[in-house]
Amino acid sequence: MASFRYPRVLNDIILAHSNQFIRPTKPKNGVGSFIFPCRKLVFNYCERSGSSTNMLKYLQTRAIQFANENPQIEVVVQPRPSKHPIIRAHYTNGLQKSKCLRGVGEDEIPEVVKSLRDHSGMRLRRWKKYVVSDTPSVRGIYSPFHDKESHEISDLKPKKS
């Protein structure tokens, strides 16, 4: 079977402008499949500490159910002697977020786990622009309040004579 080759002139053009023809794409959520931001949760507890009793109860009763419901997240349980219980979340962008569970009740631990799971992994910051986009709009965000003329429903009804 003969292989196809471009003519020499066309081949030189393609090589000279190869960065314009082949552009690598960044993996983004919404393009293809959803990438979950939280990839790993580490539960640290002390076996003898009184502050870890609620964490131990949670690990014995609800942690396996959480791991089965969220197979995309790696769940690790590690003893941490003589320390307060913490949950550390590792995110796909390389950042970590940890939460100390000292004095947290057994019913409040699932809420903390859910908040760490649902966090995007980005640092909290004040947004200067309301829309984040790769291709920003020249005109800005549309709002119905931009119109100078105000329209009323009575203007649209036909007048009876």
Side-chain angles (χ1 to χ4, degrees):
M1 188 192 288
S3 63
F4 176 76
R5 290 180 46 165
Y6 289 112
R8 186 176 186 122
V9 175
L10 187 59
N11 197 17
D12 292 340
I13 292 172
I14 290 174
L15 289 176
H17 301 288
S18 63
N19 61 347
Q20 294 176 0
F21 295 121
I22 302 170
R23 293 183 182 158
T25 59
K26 293 180 182 178
K28 297 180 186 177
N29 280 332
V31 179
S33 63
F34 178 71
I35 302 168
F36 209 76
C38 182
R39 63 178 179 85
K40 183 178 181 180
L41 280 175
V42 180
F43 293 87
N44 291 328
Y45 68 97
C46 178
E47 295 174 350
R48 296 180 297 253
S49 172
S51 62
S52 293
T53 54
N54 291 331
M55 172 70 108
L56 286 170
K57 289 178 186 176
Y58 174 80
L59 291 174
Q60 292 170 353
T61 57
R62 301 183 189 174
I64 296 172
Q65 178 186 357
F66 175 80
N68 290 335
E69 290 173 356
N70 300 291
Q72 70 275 9
I73 300 175
E74 179 184 357
V75 177
V76 178
V77 178
Q78 294 177 340
R80 188 174 169 223
S82 303
K83 303 282 184 181
H84 291 297
I86 63 167
I87 300 175
R88 187 176 298 118
H90 299 265
Y91 298 98
T92 54
N93 60 0
L95 294 178
Q96 295 181 13
K97 186 175 180 183
S98 60
K99 178 76 175 166
C100 181
L101 297 179
R102 183 180 125 203
V104 176
E106 184 183 355
D107 298 334
E108 299 168 4
I109 293 176
E111 296 171 10
V112 173
V113 172
K114 184 176 182 259
S115 70
L116 288 173
R117 180 197 69 184
D118 294 342
H119 193 264
S120 66
M122 299 293 290
R123 289 196 170 102
L124 297 177
R125 65 184 183 108
R126 186 168 180 235
W127 294 93
K128 293 181 181 175
K129 296 183 179 179
Y130 296 109
V131 177
V132 178
S133 174
D134 293 338
T135 56
S137 172
V138 176
R139 296 182 180 184
I141 304 170
Y142 172 76
S143 172
F145 301 111
H146 289 163
D147 292 335
K148 292 182 181 178
E149 299 176 12
S150 62
H151 301 284
E152 295 182 8
I153 296 174
S154 62
D155 294 343
L156 301 175
K157 292 181 182 177
K159 294 181 180 178
K160 295 180 182 178
S161 336

